[in-house]
Amino acid sequence: MHFLREVLQATLESEGDPVMVYSLLQENLDKLDLNLAQILQAWASHIFSEIEENQVSDIAAIIFNFANQIVQFPLGSRASNLEIAIAAYQTALEVHTCTAFPEQWAGIQNNLGNAYRNRIRGKRGENLEVAIAHYEATLEIYTRTAFPEQWAMIQNNLGTAYWERIQGERGENLEGAIAHYEATLEVYTRAAFPEQWAMTQNNLGSAYLCRIQKERGENLEKAIFAYESALGIYTRAAFPEQWARTQSNLGNAYSDRIRGEREENLERAIAAYEAASKILTRAAFPQDWATTQNNLGNAYRERIQGERGKNLERAIAAYEAALQVRTCIAFPEQWATTQNNLGNAYLYRIQGERGENLERAIAAYQTTLEVYTRAAFPEQWAGIQNNLGNAYLYRIQGERGENLEQAISAYQAALEVRTSETLPLDCLQTGRNLGNLGFEQENWKIAIKGYNNAILAIEQSRYWATSEATKRELIANSLDIYQKMVQACINQQDYAQALLTVERSKSRTLIELLDSAELYPKNATDAQKQRISDLRRQIAIYQQQLAYPSSDTLTPASEKHPNQPSPQTLIRQQLQAANQEFQDLLAEIGDPDFTLTQQVSPQLPNFDRLLDSKTALIEWYLPPNPDSGFYVFLITPTPDNHFPIRVLTFNATDRQTLDQTIQNYRHDNSQPWEEQLQQHLETLSQALHLSHLLSWLSDYQRLILIPHRELHLIPLHALPLAEGENLRLQDLIPLQYAPSCQVFNNLRQRPPLNGETTPFFALQNPTENLSYADLEVEILRRNFHPQQVLKHTEATKANLNQRENRDFLRQATYLHLSCHGEFDEDSPLDSYLRLANEEKLTFQDIFTSLDIPNSRLLVLSACKTGLVKTSSTDDYVGLASAFFYAGTRTVVASLWEADEFATTLLMIRLYQELPYFPSIPTALQAAQRWLQNVSCEAVLGWLQNDLQLSEDALDDCELRLDLYDKNPPFANPVYWAAFTAIGL
């Protein structure tokens, strides 16, 4: 207590000069700890209650000034100094409230933001969130109108906080930083505030240097432009220090530059660093000189021109030069950083003996840990542990087994700090390193541990990401991790974990959307829930549009409207507006725990709810590296309701055969495709080893198929059981398709339907050029009541959006869309169903506007409507996924351009079979078997007797039948196999 009074008295008497205060602090370094922070707060609370009100403000001002001085005190524990400063600022805020002392309150809020931004204790991500909150609070007083300079200062601080932010998506954070820096420049103009303008340009350049969104090369060019703009003010003659520092930053930009020759860019970086070092000399600016030497070392370490070995020697020399100033005593943090860089240089050094270089790398890393302790610098400590793991992995000296144990230990230590929740990108790096080590050594337990950490980090990053493109890229760039994790789990005989890993790598966007579709704040009204639903759809489709841009949005704006924003810019603006509207709505509802999306937990569904003892499941997995072959997972329940998972593995030769067979199936133009289909299906059956799979399924009465990647495009149900045999897979066992186990589970969990009525909705031949669509719908509608049919020219978007039709669609059990359709492989969001007047009902329209929560069955009696985009991430994007999001439980759609007459017969028969079968897939397969085997005479008899067609219609059908083979006319799978039942 005595020391506290003494230091506060010194603060009062110093009148802003820290010399007296710093001298006192230096003499009492042992007292600068968390205990002092607690004593200060307790003392202040007591004294504020004892003294006169007019004295309270003076004491608070002294405490505030003390905070400002200790926050910059260079000695003692930096972490403790910041904690004391934070405690002092918070104490001052108890008196200097926003109401009573608005300007002082705003100043304290800003300084608190700075303290939290630099805070060491606590989680870095959370500290930055607190800093941002304090900066934003300041803007309640520091408005642009009333306090333009202070407003600009806060905008600059916010820019820096967002630049450093961990939570949220990195790309969005950098966009926020750029936006705040650009806002700063609205006040800090070159004419009015040249120095501040140059400072902000320098900061803006650093933000562009790190920017993720948009094209990397363009961002680096903007960074270079910003730095060079700053140099327009920061001349060597007028502002030598700032000039030199900006030169150093310019060196960083050229070091990373993409455009132009890499060699030339690195040479420019080296030149910029060397220019900076002429001003930032060791004698005049030792710290800046050392920083420039450190960066120069990094540039030489990556240099292309010259001999690699000599460049690494120059890098080592630069690091060692930096260490002459960056000593452990004077500049411990910078010393540790350069020691780490030196370790990296020795890790890859060419000259000298390899074993000795690795020993020096290890020594440098271990020396770094004298400063980068886990308690004081947990993130840096973990980074060094990761680097040590790399060094021990390659170490030559010592016993190999012990070195590998050291590497494993170092990686595992790093992962104690680099967790998926706090530092996901770092966790991904170290998890991958640990996993790869275990995989290469066939230590499957370690491999699984490492890869599991990496996958958790990917999932956390996806959850934080707001860009759908970024979410997809996170998986696409890490598919090797999923692949190796699957293989490691299989080798460890942990088949459930292997299957879970497959599920975690596929169809992520769809399952996240489906799982979040019914999330609402607990106190939201029905009207607010509807607004949430509408906004959720809008946000999702904007994200999808950015992830899957159409060819139109990729056309440069200058080619269409030179003075207008590009389509993608407009979409981003719409997304930003929708997100803001959603946040405003949440604020109106007042449920702080609610989030727009749900982080999908990594777990397999409960198979005892998903399957019964007579239902088996097959899931394929085609790893991105074909040399790994492919896998088939079999879940074959036992009579006592156990659900063992078996894995069948196929080698690289099997995979090569399968890939070539799929390629031939999709792109064989040697003969008419329909004539080759039967042969392709036989070849596919062999490539998939169907007969071997079936040997596991003899005791089951139903089968769920979960394809992967290109297998979604294959009519697996039509594969023949053996070469030259007419018996096919669906003849042996009824089956159905699903995008993934998780999607299937989501559909199963949807509320049960009301079976009392079966409302029927149809689109009937909107273009009036389908010869049998009218016949199809007119027959189908006979058996349903109530019903709503939009026929011919009535089938427009405007009519679909009429309230009475929207209300009917919400109640409809069966939806039958008999029209033209098209799937766009390159731009799946532009896939569509053709309406009247040449209108298109696109994926986007379905996704954003259609609401069919009571749909049991949605039939797309149109061509190519069951196709999905094939990608290595197996994102299930097609018309079917849009209809699942809209609310249906099952989609029947086609895989190719189906024969019009055969399709009409099949659709009518499907609805006839529905009452006699327990599920839609089994009814569809019964209809397909009927069509496959029915004779021309039987078709005519069925049309005449069962369907009671008119004489004219019957004559027309008879003439049409003359175009087909007679025994039987539709035996070729091209006529009946196109349609698949996806879902329940």
Side-chain angles (χ1 to χ4, degrees), residues 102-103 106 138-154 187 193:
E103 291 186 50
T138 302
L139 294 174
E140 296 178 25
I141 304 301
Y142 286 161
T143 64
R144 179 174 177 178
T145 303
F147 299 93
E149 291 184 51
Q150 292 88 337
W151 178 87
M153 174 187 68
I154 299 300
V187 173
F193 300 93

Side-chain angles (χ1 to χ4, degrees), residues 172 213-214 538-539 542 545-546 564-581:
E172 292 296 326
Q213 290 189 13
K214 295 192 176 180
Q538 290 176 23
I539 290 169
Y542 292 146
Q545 287 174 323
L546 292 172
Q564 294 184 8
S566 69
Q568 284 191 302
T569 298
L570 291 174
I571 294 170
R572 287 193 180 93
Q573 292 172 351
Q574 292 170 321
L575 174 59
Q576 183 178 5
N579 275 320
Q580 185 58 54
E581 187 177 348

Side-chain angles (χ1 to χ4, degrees), residues 745-819:
N745 187 52
N746 177 280
L747 299 176
R748 284 290 301 269
Q749 291 179 347
R750 293 189 174 182
L753 298 173
N754 179 4
E756 295 180 4
T757 61
T758 54
F760 175 81
F761 179 91
L763 295 179
Q764 180 176 335
N765 196 10
T767 53
E768 300 185 69
N769 60 357
L770 292 171
S771 302
Y772 297 96
D774 288 321
L775 173 66
E776 179 181 316
V777 175
E778 290 299 328
I779 291 176
L780 293 180
R781 67 187 300 182
R782 297 174 186 173
N783 301 317
F784 292 98
H785 184 78
Q787 59 178 252
Q788 183 72 286
V789 176
L790 296 183
K791 182 178 180 179
H792 299 170
T793 57
E794 295 176 350
T796 63
K797 280 188 178 181
N799 283 338
L800 273 173
N801 288 322
Q802 284 183 357
R803 182 165 184 171
E804 62 181 274
N805 287 324
R806 291 174 68 90
D807 290 344
F808 190 91
L809 282 165
R810 290 190 186 97
Q811 301 304 318
T813 305
Y814 295 94
L815 291 88
H816 190 89
L817 311 182
S818 186
C819 54

Side-chain angles (χ1 to χ4, degrees), residues 831-886:
S831 302
Y832 64 89
L833 300 175
R834 178 71 71 181
L835 301 179
N837 304 326
E838 296 300 308
E839 292 181 344
K840 295 179 180 179
L841 183 69
T842 65
F843 176 103
Q844 299 178 41
D845 297 323
I846 298 163
F847 205 91
T848 56
S849 303
L850 193 64
D851 189 15
I852 50 174
N854 289 294
S855 170
R856 180 194 179 204
L857 169 63
L858 185 139
V859 176
L860 298 174
S861 184
C863 298
K864 300 182 180 180
T865 49
L867 299 178
V868 294
K869 184 173 180 62
T870 58
S871 66
S872 56
T873 58
D874 198 46
D875 279 309
Y876 196 83
V877 183
L879 290 173
S881 64
F883 282 115
F884 283 136
Y885 186 72

